[in-house]
Structures are given as structure tokens and as C-alpha cells.
Amino acid sequence: MRAAERRASVSGAKLFSRILLGGALLIASAASALAASFYTVTPCRVIDTRDPAGAFGGPALAAGATRGVTVGGQCGISNVAIAVSVNVTVIAPTAGGYLTLFPSGAPMPVASTINYRAGQIRANNAILALGTGGAVSVFGGQGSGTVHFVVDVNGYFDGSGNHQPVVDAGPDQVIPGATASLAGSGSDDGQPAPLTYSWTKVSGPGSVVFGNPASPTSSATFGAIGVYVLRLTASDSAVASSDSVVVTATSSSADTVRLLEQSTFGPTNALIAHVQTIGPAAWIAEQLVAPMSSYPTLPLQPTTIPPTCDAICRRDNYSMYPLQRTFFTNALYGPDQLRQRVAFALHELLVISGRDINQPSWVAPYLQVIDRNAFGNYRQLLYEMTLNPGMGRYLDMVTSTKNNPNENYAREVLQLFSIGLDKLNLDGTQELDGFGVPIPTYDQAVVTGFAKVFTGWTFENQPSPGIVNYIDPMRLIANNHDTGTKQLLGPLILPAGQTGDQDLNAAIDDIFNHPNVGPFVGGHLIRALVTSNPTPGYVSRAASVFNDNGFGVRGDLASVVRAILLDPEARGDVKSDPNYGHLREPVLFVNNVLRAFNARSADGTTTSDGYLNPQTSAMDQDVFRPTSVFSYYPPDYLVPGSTTVGGPEFGIFSASTSLRRANFVNTMVFSSIAVSTNAPTGTSLDLTGLQALAGNPAALVEELNRVLMHGSLSTAMRDSITTAVNAVSASNPLLRARQALYLFATSSQYQVQR
Amino acid sequence: MTRESTRREFLIRTSCAALGAAAVSAGVKRFGLISALAQQSAPSDYRALVCIFLNGGNDGNNTLIPLDATGYNAYSAARSAAGLAIAQGSLLSITPPSINMPFGLHPSLPQVKGLFDQHKLAIVSNVGPLVQPLTRDQYRNGVARPYQLFSHSDQVAQWSTARSDIKIQSGWGGRTADNTVSYNGSGTFPTITSVAGSTVFAIGLLTRPLAIAPAPTPLNQVLVLNGFNSSPEAVARRSSMDLLRTIDRQAALIAAASDVTQQAVDIGLALNVDPALATVFPATSIGSQLLQVAKVMKLNQTSPALSLNRQIFFCSLGGFDTHQNQVGGQATLLTQLDDAIKAFYDATVELGIESRVTTFTLSDFGRTLQPAGTGSAVVGSDHAWGNHQFVLGGAVAGGEFYGVAGSNGTVYPTLQLSGPDDTDSRGRWIPTASVEQYAATLATWFGLASADLPTVFPLIGRFTTPNLGFLP
């Protein structure tokens, strides 16, 4: 090192003392005895005053003037550098003198960085602290004239001793569902080690599960609806930086599972992940346009069973067997889950039964009417159902003539299919008269009037002798139609002389426009999908959408279903109302368990055959064969032991059927439904996922909590089941999985969907 | 009576406070809150009611038909043209002493005739829901009548609850059980057993029925929980399952589900044999139900876990809503009923309790004398009101018709469209005897104290007598 340079070199201690004297600290850590690390840069010219005038150019420095030069951030010098190593060169001074380089903003020290004579080109090295703004000041200490100078940098000191990593947790988000994609990023100087990342939850109402917590781009799934603060920390193994991001979760993992319980025949892992990402509204929109599974039109059979028709023939042509299998395979595998749920709910409202309409080819068209209108308009559904031959036969409209009018359909279309017996407020509560007594919606005269409306309709022509046309809508025989006046609801009196079609349409309109229909149908759908005990407000909101879907249309079932599922009473993480929820009816219970565990054939190689009606039938729900027009269970059945709490599904939950449910679980969990004459492939559960967790009983129980009970498992239930799992040797993971699943699926806590 | 006072009456009489203290304390135990089954001694004073509900509304007009010329002609005038009348010669003749004129039972009821002739079976005629006694003129002038006449679900409710002014949630079977619970001591096997599923008839304020499957399910298999053995894992699983039923009860529906399941488990332990009976029952739905009832009665005699002194049973036979195809349809059903109740009566004889068991029918309503539709292959009838019911048992003063005399001086209605007993013109008979009176007679024989009659049947005072006399 040359003498001039030595004069200009600074020890670490003097450097720091100089910074202290200077007063302006760039880096707080410089005040302590931290070692500063030196980083070289490719030598680079920061300023040359011979260049055109500018921040890093001319003019030449005048005698006695001070020029500031920003060094930090230039030429690869870190903008957190606290000191730099520079070579300063003077060129063509017009007089002899010296330059003092010092941190901008600090008082000029009594020191020189380089001395020179006139006309001399000289260079010297300097190590000096950076001042305000990362700048260096250059003082021209000569008596007169000007001097050009050049400053080249070759390195810098970082006061922290290491580059702080730069990290960005990404932009704040409001997500539609329960799973967010986090777009974090980070950068560093690579020292001393490559960056590692870590996502953590800072705050928020529920759990956060990161898909890949060690990656800046990770998913995050939220256990509760609300606002979360998440932190991404990047560390170079010596120092770390962090940044936070605010994510607002509109849904949650818990509520996603609950939504799927309400809108499908059972949540699956694939659907849970999908809906967590897209959120409830988008899921419903998808489901409203999903392709329809429905039922095939079957060939009509002779009404009189031919003597050659053996047991298999009777099973396939004179029992509900084919439709039952289609129902279950649709429920297990069909894409149109919400339509199927709504359709089954409508079947439980507009009832016919295979006990009387005993060919599957006779019932399929009825199911098709419901399926294609499930997201359509209720008026259209009523109209098509009125002319459906299966319904016509079931409630005797096919033989009703003006001379012998039959009242059955007239009575039930009012009592069961549209308005019920008593006037309702919009919120589903009974309207009461001045004595506090319910007000009937109609009397015998009205029933008689509607009975007259429905006269003259009968089966379409026979396609061939002995075969009755249950496929095409009923046709009118005008001579058999009562053309007198007819008293309907309203009070509307249809004039004499109208055709059967005119009377029919006027009557359907009369029913459809009755104010009861909104709360009646809305209330039924709420009870079928969500809860047996909706608040009056909930019914009111659903009924309002029935009355007007927002576009002036009455009876829009898709809008009603959407409103029911997006309503705050259906959504939310934890339901604390003790009366909320409903007991899973057998078709729900059976399909829920099967779908949760990827039901497939008995040997696991293909799909289940859907031969599951014996299971639900044992639980008193014989699919498409309800015992009467009042459906499988009465809609006003109360929870046993209560005089106020509704529990319709308890109407078929007896001592016998409660044990049948447990025995069904026993069959599926410990065995399977074997192949048989009626079961071409059988049905079994896939427990491999549960088995894989069996080594960790807590994880196994938590997984079942997630997928079956949307996180609502109580501590006491968790402890009890975990104890039972631990009673099984760890060397038998399958038995452990079975132990846990049996206990969950048979519990009352699972039987009731909340 | 104004609606307001009726409502006030209802509020007073159906509150829990209307139960006697003894009933409450005994009933609490019977409500399943104690799971241990107490040892009982053999029943010393046994009585049982067996209800058979004919679902849909059995057509009484073709079940019991006047055989005197005037009476049959009136019947025929309304029904022959449409093909609904039963030929006079095929009817099974019986003669009630109080009327002293012949009547014909439906040809499908030979066993019923036989039991009637042996004085084991009585007929209660033109009985039905009433809010108060009612004539045709009063009806047509709007005097109070049962709510929602001619509606299945509401009429079933009224026959089951014995209340026709307002809809209530308890049945007269349940309320009778509530108020006779002291007969059965402190055991926990329920008083009421249904072999036909859930029914409001069996629901009381304290009483909850046991619903079990009918035959051919063996009695010791009606309530079996599969999949458990003595292995440590199964024992641990069962232990957890039992505990789970006792927790998380703040949710009403969860608590109720647990209660039902707990009852199933407890009763299942009590039903540990499948008794054998020598009597052969028909393998029909109603036959299978009554067979199961008989088995439970036998088990009750022999098992210390039961040993009830009072039992009520509920069965049902459906299909009676014959708006069309009544001729064949009703014949088939009445044959099934006929064979089954004869077998059941024989079984009570086998068990030595024929005088301790009274079997009775209920039904939604009678049917219009005027047919619906035409042509014997399709003709039927529509919903009506007053109907005829059967009461069978050794204690019954059989071979007679009972009820309340109407405008023609007998308990049997005048079969005339737009006649004095018709609500309108279709032949819907206004009952002269009420469901309350019918049910109160049965309940009194069963053991309901007369002081407790108003508790179970609050409106009984509106009718001429609380006892129709067929169970002296």
C-alpha cells in the first residue's frame, strides 16, 4: 500500500468512530460493535466530471466547492451499504490542492483524501462511510481554479454483516372459498446460504393449513370464515426478513364440507378441495348447469304380468329395482349432485308410490318430470305433474269424469303439493284469526271445484293392446270434461263453457299464485336440504325469492335453491343453535357414508352397482315406494320427547331402524355388500386413506372429523374414539381405521347433519 | 262453545300439570332415564289393548249392510248402478238384539261373523270424530265440526288423538298409558309396542312407544346390534359407542337420536327369546304383525324383564283408500283382516288371556255411499266420515251393535243420499258416537280411572255418555 493510500485507509474502529462523530447514521446496527462485511463489486465509475453536466458528470469542481455524489445503489453498491471503497482520481487541476471525501451530511473532517499539484493526474484509494442518501461529498481544497475528478468504486461494507433478504408475502386477497393461492416471493444475495421460507399464521379466527409452508407460493386453507394475517419469513440462515399479507376467507374448510352435505349426496375429498378453491357461489353456479344424470325411459310392459315372466323378469319389469339402482348410482357418481338432491326433495313433496304404480316404466316418466324441472319453474312442474300419467293413476285423475268426478287429486294437489291446509305468513308461520286459530286455505266447495276442473283427462292412446301409455302426458276427452262453473281458490270462479285445457291452466295459475306456495315450497326445500327448524326469517327470505327471483319471475326454483344454500342460516363455521340441522334420512345417510370413502364394487375394481335399496328399506325408506301420498315421513313430525322442535326424519327413526343404521355401518366398515343375483358388482368402501393414518390415532380421528363432521368433533368424543382406536394394536392399521370409522358413522353426532 | 274457550280449555288440560303426581314419578322412570332393567314378578292383573288401524279409510258401507228389504234397497239404490253394491245373497247375516233386524257383513268376513255370533265381537256403528254432537241441520248451519274433515292425515290424527277441535301432538293411547303407568311398576320396558312403525296414537306426554319389526323377524332379533364379540377391540368399541350416546346432548336432535338408540339397546337386552306359539297365523302383513304382538304377550308372561300388567299394541293394515277398484281391493284386505284377527283371538286363548285382551279397529273415515267412477272393475268411493268399527275380546259384550242412537232411533245411520244423516248429497254420515266415547270406553276397561277421564279426553263431557257399554 502506498503512503498516500495508507494515510487514507481507515481501520474499522476509526470508521465507526467517524460515523459516530458524523451523527447521521445510515444503519442503526453500526452503533454496536458489529463486524461489517466487505463486498467487492466489479470496479465501476460512479462519477466523471469530464462528462457532460449531470449528477454523475460535470462540471469540474471549483476551488472551495463541495459536490455530493450518490454512491449507494450505484454500480452494484448495495443501497444499505454503510461504507465504500473508492479510487478517486484527479485530472488536470488548474492549481495545486487536495480533495476531501466525506459522508454527505456529516461535518467536513480535517483530513485529505488526495493531494496534487497543478496539471497532475493522481489517484488514491479511500474507504469512507456513506452519508445521507448513500452519498459522498467531495470538497475541492485548492486556492483557485477547478479540478476534474473521477470516483471509481470497487467494494462496499454492509453494516448488518449480511444482506437482509428481501421478502414479499404477496398482495392482500379476498377469496371466494376457503383456499387461497399465496403468491409470495423473496430475493437475497445468496449469502451465507440460499433462502429458506416459512409461512405462518399471525392471526385469524380459525386454523390455517398451508399446502407447502416452505414455499413462497403455497396454498392456504382456512378453518373458519374471516380475516387472517399470514406471514412469510425468508431466512438466509443468518438473518431473516418477513412480510405479512391479509387474506379474507369467505368460506372455510368446515363450511365447505357443510355446504357439500347440504347440496350433494355426500362430500368427497375431490369436491372438498374443488369447492374450497372456488367458493360456495361458484359451486352452486356450476351445479345449476351440470349435465343431468336422470332416468332412462323404459319400455312399457303389459299391465297383466305374463305367466312366462320369471322372478328376474318381474324384478326388472314389475318392481322398482331398476330405478332404485339408477337412483343410487346417480347419487354415488353423478355430476349433478344438487339437482339430484332437489329432485328427491320434490319427489317427497309431489308423491307417487311404486306400491301402486308398480312398473318402473310407469314411474320413470314421473321422475323425469321432476328432474328436468328441478331448476325450472314451479308452475311448469305443477302443470307437467298434473298431466303425468303416473300421477294421474296414483291419485285417480285418469278415471275422473264429469259424471263421476274424483276428488283425490284435487284435494292432494292443494293440501300436499302447493298450499297446505292453513294460511301461512311469508315466514311459514300460520296466519291466525282474531281468536288465535289457524285459517283454512280452502273448504270442501273448493275441492269440489278443482275436482271438476280435473275431469276428462286420461291416458294417451295405447301403443298396443294390454299396454298402457304411462309415458306421454294425459290427453283430454272433451265429452268427459265438466263444463259448468267451478269454484277455486281466490275466490275465483271459473266460468262455464271453458275447455279442459283452459280450465286446467286457469286452475294451475290459481294454485301457483296463492301466497302460500312460496313459504310452503321454500320451507319444504329448507327442511330437505338444511335444517328441520328454520327461523321464520330464513323461510321468509326463501319465500321472497320464490315470489320474485330478482328479475320479476315467480316460482324460479334455481334461485330459491341458491338463496337457501347461500343464506347465512345455512352458511357459517359453527352452528350453536341447539335445534339446528336435521337427522339424515336413510338415502342421505347411506350415500354420505359411501361417497366419503370412494364407494366401489365389492372387489374394488369397478363401480358399485347401486343395489342399496335393501339397506335404506330396512331403515324404513323404500326408495320410490313410500307408504302413502304423505311421503316417507310426515313433514310435521316432532323430535321425540319435544312438543315444539321439528324432526320429520324421526318419523322413521325408531328403536328398530336406529339399530339397522348401525348394522349398515357394520356391514360397510367390516365387510361389504357382496355380489349376488341382484347385485352384479356389490359395494365396498375404500379405507386405504384411513389406514395410512392409523399409525397416528390423533391424525386418523382428525381426518374423520374433517370429512364427516366438518370439524365439529367435541373433545369428549375425540377422546373416547381415540381411546378405542388405541385399544387396537398399531400392527393392525386396517382394524384401527375400522374402529374409528364405525364409531363416527354410528354416532348420533354424525346421524344429525348440522 | 266459542273457539276462545276451547283454546283455553286445551291449554289447561293438556299441560303436564294435568298428570297425577304418582303418574309423573312412575313415568319418569319409564321414560328410559334409568337403563337398568328391574326384576318384576309375573303379571297378576293383565290387560291389553290392541289397535288395528285400517289406513286409508275403510268403506263401512260395504262392510256392514242392512239386510231388511227397505234398508238393503236404500243401499242398493245408491250403489248398484255403478257396480259397487254387494249382492244381498252373498252377505253374512248377523242380527243385533238392540235393533232386532238383520245386517250383512261383507263376504270376506266369515271369522268376524263367527266371533260376533259367539258374542266375542261387537260392532260400534257410525262412530267418528266430533267436536260435539251434531245433526245434519246443525252441520249445514256451520255449528262446530272437526277440523279438516275428509283429509287423510287430519282424520288419522283425530282418531289417534281423540281431539277434533284442534290438532295436538299426543295420542289417546299414549295419554292412557301415561295415566295408568302405576300398574306397571318401575320396569323400563315400554307400555306401548308398535309393530307398524311410528304413530301419534302411541305418543304421550311421558310415554314413548317401542317400535319393532313384525314377524317373520324373530323377537330376539328385532333389536340386535351386529358386529360385537368379546375381543378387547370390540369391547373397547362398544364402550366408546355407549359413551358417545351420553355426550354432546345440547343439540336437541342429537340428544333425541341418542335416546332412541339407547332405548333400542336396552330393550334389545330384554327381548332375548323368540317365543313359540301353537296358533298358526296367516303370512300376511297384518297376520305377521299380530303374530309378533302375540309373541310379545307371551314373553311378557314369562320374562321377568317385562312382566307388565298393562300393555297397548299398535298394528296397521293399509290400502283402504279405495277411490277406485274397491270391489276387489276391499275384499282382499278384509279377508286378510278377517283371518288375522281370528288367529290372534285364538292365540289369546292359547295364552289363557282371551278375556284380558281387547282388539279394536280405527280408520281414517268411512266412505261416500255414492260411488266414485263407474264400472265394477274400477268403481270406488270417496272420503266420508262416520264409520263402523270392530271390537273383539273375551271381555267384550259381543254379538251387538253399540253407539249412540240417531234420528232413526238406532245406532245405524239412514242410508239415504241427502238424508238426515248425510253431510251433503254424497252419503257422508255424520257420526252419532264420537271417537272420544269409543276410546274412553276402551281406556276405562284398560284401567283408566274415571277421575282421570277428563285428563285423557278433555271434551268427553260434551257427549251423552263416556261409556258406550261394549266392555262392561
Side-chain angles (χ1 to χ4, degrees), chain A residues 399 421 578 651 656 663 720 739 748, chain B residues 154 198 211 224 226 240 252 258 324:
Chain A
T399 53
L421 293 169
S656 301
N663 291 340
S720 177
Q739 188 93 329
S748 303
Chain B
D154 295 276
S198 304
V224 163
N226 294 336
S240 173
S258 290
Q324 55 188 47

Side-chain angles (χ1 to χ4, degrees), chain A residues 590-625:
Chain A
V590 165
N591 282 308
N592 286 175
V593 172
L594 295 178
R595 281 174 57 90
F597 301 100
N598 192 28
R600 65 275 173 87
S601 61
D603 67 4
T605 63
T606 179
T607 54
S608 158
D609 53 34
Y611 182 60
L612 291 157
N613 191 65
Q615 307 298 325
T616 58
S617 188
M619 302 172 197
D620 279 352
Q621 191 163 45
D622 191 355
V623 175
F624 304 139
R625 301 185 75 247

